[in-house]
Amino acid sequence: MALSCNNTLFPKPFFTSCSSQTQGTHFSNLPQPTKQDTIFKIKGPSTLSGHITISGSKNASLPLLAATLCCSGTSLLHNLPNVSDIQAMASILSSLGAKVDAFDGKMMVNSDGVGKVEVDLEEMKKIRGGFFVIGPLVARFGEAVVALPGGCNIGKRPVDLHLRGLRALGAVVELRQLVLQCYRDGKVWARAANGRGLVGGKFRLDYPSVGATETLMMAASMADGTTMLSNVAKVMEPEVVDLARFLTDCGAWIEGAGSDNLIIRGKRQLYGSECVIKPDRIETGTFMLAAAITRSCILMSPVIPSRVSCLIDKLSQAGCKISRLDQQTLQVSAHPSHIGYDLKSFDIKTNPFPGFPTDLQPQTMALLTTCTGSSLVEESVFDNRMTH
């Protein structure tokens, strides 16, 4: 049964992406970003009921797609979410010369035919995740020309850690501004200083950035020698876990799981592998919060409860009833007949995993406006995340 919303009108894409009756997500064989509706018309008050199928993680999918550039042969990724960011990343890979085939929620990528190392500027403006390709391109092909990332404007998201880390691995990196007044219109030129490829090195991140950790992990996996990265986003960070596992399956040597330090012994060649994208923890959390906001009871699967444990704790503190029906299914209820009283306020402070996710902060603030009492919301990850 699909998730239903009484007395509420959603655009057609909502039903397409959320229906639990669909066995797999469908992509076009020629992945192109599709125009999405920009207006939602909602009539309430309303309640939710039924079951929602959680998509694969978008934040895990983007670096995994970029990592296919490290590999000889074909890689196959399962359970990719049908969202415009994934289609844009597929377009970036195709524009570089990779062969990309998409079908039934799967994507097959063969990068043996890559003949370009410069990413189209307009493609890069669409998603921030496109910047991930800089590491694999320099590591495997010795050079990359990548525009500064676009994407959502939620605050300062510099790429200086990515660039300094690449320099520590033997890359010459030059940042050129195409329009001096607009930082986002710059381009990054990176090439191996020795003319062949990257070399092992040491680098300490000023901040445990997930994106920088992933970029440098991919680059170091093909560098000549051993790389030591410290103060990285812990390998317990879900998206970092998924990328490390994929690279290892492709032949990389990565040590340091669960710590702040990574030791990576570069391999001259990696080979395509197969990977199943884990459920999206942000989508899971969003529907959990939707159930709480509308005082409803819904089921959702597949879910990895440990990846949303911080939200489970907060919603339970507020008074929601959250039950694990099996290994992958959660029932979330804030229905008055189940909880017997109204939801109570609670405080949150966003932090890297396993702290409270910054991507769930706006939805949580919406919930808190409906709870009894005062709440304190502290954003410590993105300085512009409060614009909502």
Side-chain angles (χ1 to χ4, degrees), residues 231-252:
N231 195 36
V232 298
K234 290 185 178 181
V235 181
M236 65 188 299
E237 186 91 28
E239 291 75 27
V240 178
V241 169
D242 297 340
L243 179 61
R245 183 178 295 114
F246 176 73
L247 289 172
T248 300
D249 290 343
C250 294

Side-chain angles (χ1 to χ4, degrees), residues 114-346:
V114 170
K116 291 175 56 181
V117 293
E118 180 171 0
V119 181
D120 180 79
L121 178 62
E122 292 305 312
E123 293 291 345
M124 277 296 300
K125 285 182 177 180
K126 296 174 183 176
I127 56 167
R128 180 175 177 82
F131 197 75
F132 281 125
V133 302
I134 191 172
L137 287 176
V138 178
R140 184 176 175 189
F141 303 103
E143 186 179 4
V145 182
V146 181
L148 288 168
C152 50
N153 182 22
I154 55 176
K156 296 176 182 177
R157 307 171 79 185
V159 294
D160 59 303
L161 292 178
H162 305 62
L163 306 186
R164 287 165 48 204
L166 290 174
R167 290 189 181 106
L169 298 181
V172 176
V173 181
E174 182 181 354
L175 175 63
R176 300 178 187 175
Q177 302 292 350
L178 301 183
V179 180
L180 294 179
Q181 293 81 5
C182 185
Y183 178 77
R184 289 190 176 194
D185 278 349
K187 277 191 177 182
V188 175
W189 273 258
R191 60 179 175 82
N194 60 16
R196 298 186 302 275
L198 298 178
V199 295
K202 295 182 180 179
F203 183 68
R204 176 179 175 82
L205 281 72
D206 297 338
Y207 175 81
S209 161
V210 173
T213 298
E214 292 168 330
T215 296
L216 298 179
M217 187 190 304
M218 288 185 278
S221 292
M222 298 192 72
D224 182 15
T226 300
T227 296
M228 299 182 65
L229 302 175
S230 57
N231 195 36
V232 298
K234 290 185 178 181
V235 181
M236 65 188 299
E237 186 91 28
E239 291 75 27
V240 178
V241 169
D242 297 340
L243 179 61
R245 183 178 295 114
F246 176 73
L247 289 172
T248 300
D249 290 343
C250 294
W253 193 98
I254 301 172
E255 185 180 84
S259 73
D260 297 332
N261 304 295
L262 286 176
I263 300 175
I264 304 171
R265 295 177 185 171
K267 298 290 186 71
R268 181 172 299 177
Q269 191 170 20
L270 300 180
Y271 299 92
S273 185
E274 194 169 354
C275 177
V276 179
I277 310 297
K278 297 292 192 299
D280 195 310
R281 60 189 174 114
I282 303 305
E283 182 177 320
T284 300
T286 298
F287 281 107
M288 292 173 68
L289 288 161
I293 290 170
T294 57
R295 305 302 193 264
S296 305
C297 179
I298 64 173
L299 301 174
M300 60 191 72
S301 67
V303 172
I304 302 178
S306 62
R307 294 193 172 186
V308 288
S309 58
C310 187
L311 180 61
I312 290 175
D313 291 343
K314 292 296 184 181
L315 291 182
S316 298
Q317 177 184 334
C320 293
K321 301 298 182 184
I322 301 176
S323 305
R324 186 171 176 176
L325 302 187
D326 58 41
Q327 287 190 333
Q328 293 188 317
T329 306
L330 284 183
Q331 176 179 276
V332 181
S333 178
H335 195 279
S337 65
H338 293 169
I339 64 175
Y341 46 82
D342 203 9
L343 298 182
K344 297 177 293 185
S345 61
F346 55 90

